[in-house]
Every structure is written in C-alpha cells, then in structure tokens.
C-alpha cells in the first residue's frame, strides 16, 4: 500500500482536535475529557506538486501539522490492546484551518466542516509503512518560508493512538484507507499567498507545499 492507494481508497478523514495541551492553551481552549472528533472530506486531500489554495472567504488560513494514521484493517469497537494491528502505516498531514470561519462557527455553536473542509485543506505526505516509524515519540515540525513555526513530539499527545482508535471505532467503523489526523502541537499560525510550507517528521521525511490565492 502506498499514498496513492490511501488517497484513492480513503473513505474518511477523521480528525482529532485539542490533543496537545500546549495547543489547546495557545487558542484559549479547554482540554477535552474524551477525544474531540470531526470529519474532513476526502476532496480536501492534496499531494506534493500541487498548491494549497486559499479560498475567497478565508481571511486567516492556519497551518496545523499532524501525524496521520492510515488504517489497514476494518474494525468496529476496537479494544485499545489490539488497536495497533489495524494500522497499515502513517503519513504526515496538515489540517489546514480557516481560523476566521472556525472562530465564527465556535461563537455560533456551528460545526467546523466549512472551516476545515475546503479543497486542498488536507495536504499529505507519502505513505510511511508502520515498521518505519515509532509513532509514540517522533517529532513533528513545520516551517513557513524556512522559519520554524511548529515543533512537537507525539509523546505529548493527550490521547495516544490506541486510545484514539478505540474511541473513534466506537462511533465509526474504521476501514482500510481511512486517515486519522491525531491533532496538532503548539505554534499554529497564518499563511498567505506566495509563502511555502515545509513540514517534516524528525529528519526522516519532509514535504513542501506552496500557498496560493483564490483561483
Ligand atoms: C482548534 C482546532 O482546530 C483543533 C485541531 O484541529 C487540533 O488539531 O487541535
Ligand atoms: Mg487539527
């Protein structure tokens, strides 16, 4: 299985919010008592070689670098103890967020689908086989025009991957090709047309996406 397959197969993108204390704090949010889950459409996928597009209504587009978990085996009500056997591998992903629209939605108690769901709002790296990565302690980093904005270790997740898969599969059947976004560490911030985002996992993987304005 490689990234083309999970993008093609990808039935769901299930994202988790506020899974790092320092990120919840930087946006003035409380830490959730159970994983906070939302969906992004698979039409938001974009792979390297294509740009992230800022839509006209979006006045503040934020980067959120996240570890993505690619599901390899179907499961429902998966116990934590066997959750990792459902993982085919990983991908680095950006949960691009229209923060102005998310802030409006939060005030009104509306869902985040619009703020999180535009085309190109889920840039992803190549697929990483599960044997190649220690998911429990890898470093996610992100630079804008070469300047570091985010750096955090997956060891700081409030809900680690087995807990996330157990919780999410109590709601949705997890299917091969699903991508789980595991939340972002601190340092989120805006990007504007003309900038370039580079993000990586330790010095093991790197991906680059230019940012462009409305088309
Ligand atoms: C405030 C958010 O957008 C939550 C989120 O997506 C996260 O990664 O945390
Ligand atoms: Mg996020």
């Amino acid at each position: 299985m490689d990234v083309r397959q999970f993008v093609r197969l990808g039935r769901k993108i299930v994202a988790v919010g506020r899974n790092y204390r320092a990120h919840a704090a930087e946006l003035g949010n409380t830490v959730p008592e159970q994983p906070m889950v939302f969906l992004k459409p698979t039409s938001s996928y974009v792979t390297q070689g294509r740009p992230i597009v800022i839509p006209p209504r979006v006045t503040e587009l934020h980067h959120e670098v996240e570890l993505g978990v690619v599901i390899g085996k179907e499961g429902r009500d998966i116990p934590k103890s066997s959750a990792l056997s459902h993982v085919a591998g990983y991908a680095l992903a950006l949960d691009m967020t229209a923060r102005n629209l998310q802030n409006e939605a939060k005030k009104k108690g509306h869902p985040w689908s619009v703020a999180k769901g535009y085309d190109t709002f889920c840039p992803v790296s190549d697929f990483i086989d599960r044997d190649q990565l220690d998911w429990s302690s890898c470093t996610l980093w992100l630079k804008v025009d070469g300047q570091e904005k985010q750096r955090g270790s997956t060891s700081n997740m409030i809900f680690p991957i087995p807990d996330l898969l157990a919780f999410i599969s109590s709601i949705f059947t997890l299917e091969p090709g699903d991508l789980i976004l595991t939340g972002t560490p601190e340092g989120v911030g805006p990007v504007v047309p003309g900038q370039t985002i580079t993000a990586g996992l330790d010095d093991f993987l790197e991906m680059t996406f230019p940012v462009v304005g409305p088309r």
Side-chain angles (χ1 to χ4, degrees):
M1 189 169 179
D2 67 15
V3 71
R4 281 164 299 182
Q5 284 165 294
F6 90 76
V7 170
R8 194 169 56 238
L9 285 172
R11 298 185 176 129
K12 294 188 281 305
I13 303 172
V14 184
V16 175
R18 303 179 190 165
N19 201 21
Y20 290 81
R21 281 174 205 286
H23 168 59
E26 74 181 344
L27 294 186
N29 291 321
T30 52
V31 171
E33 282 166 17
Q34 59 181 26
M36 203 195 67
V37 170
F38 57 95
L39 293 169
K40 284 169 84 89
T42 51
S43 47
S44 65
Y45 272 131
V46 60
T47 50
Q48 281 192 89
R50 290 170 53 213
I52 297 166
V53 181
I54 306 185
R57 287 175 63 206
V58 177
T59 54
E60 194 181 6
L61 179 65
H62 274 202
H63 53 76
E64 296 190 0
V65 67
E66 310 201 0
L67 180 64
V69 179
V70 182
I71 300 299
K73 186 172 79 178
E74 183 172 311
R76 163 97 199 162
D77 291 326
I78 300 170
K80 281 185 211 175
S81 56
S82 58
L84 294 176
S85 71
H86 291 260
V87 174
Y90 303 93
L92 187 64
L94 306 181
D95 174 21
M96 299 305 296
T97 303
R99 201 66 77 196
N100 62 308
L101 301 183
Q102 187 189 39
N103 288 340
E104 278 173 31
K106 273 175 163 171
K107 276 188 218 143
K108 294 177 185 160
H110 288 179
W112 295 356
S113 310
V114 174
K116 297 279 190 176
Y118 280 95
D119 287 2
T120 79
F121 276 21
C122 190
V124 281
S125 74
D126 290 342
F127 176 77
I128 305 161
D129 192 84
R130 68 177 182 187
D131 298 334
Q132 288 181 277
L133 192 75
D134 174 9
W135 63 269
S136 65
S137 70
C138 51
T139 301
L140 307 168
W141 56 267
L142 181 142
K143 295 177 184 176
V144 177
D145 287 346
Q147 214 185 338
E148 188 166 287
K149 301 289 183 184
Q150 290 192 265
R151 176 170 288 272
S153 170
T154 55
S155 62
N156 291 326
M157 282 184 198
I158 298 168
F159 302 103
I161 289 171
D163 299 55
L164 294 179
L165 299 189
F167 180 78
I168 292 167
S169 71
S170 73
I171 307 162
F172 310 122
T173 296
L174 289 178
E175 300 164 288
D178 286 349
L179 180 72
I180 314 296
L181 301 184
T182 56
T184 193
E186 69 272 27
V188 301
V191 286
V192 296
Q195 289 185 319
T196 299
I197 298 178
T198 309
L201 264 175
D202 298 302
D203 55 5
F204 167 72
L205 176 142
E206 192 172 304
M207 65 182 190
T208 299
F209 289 89
V211 179
V212 301
R215 297 196 148 170

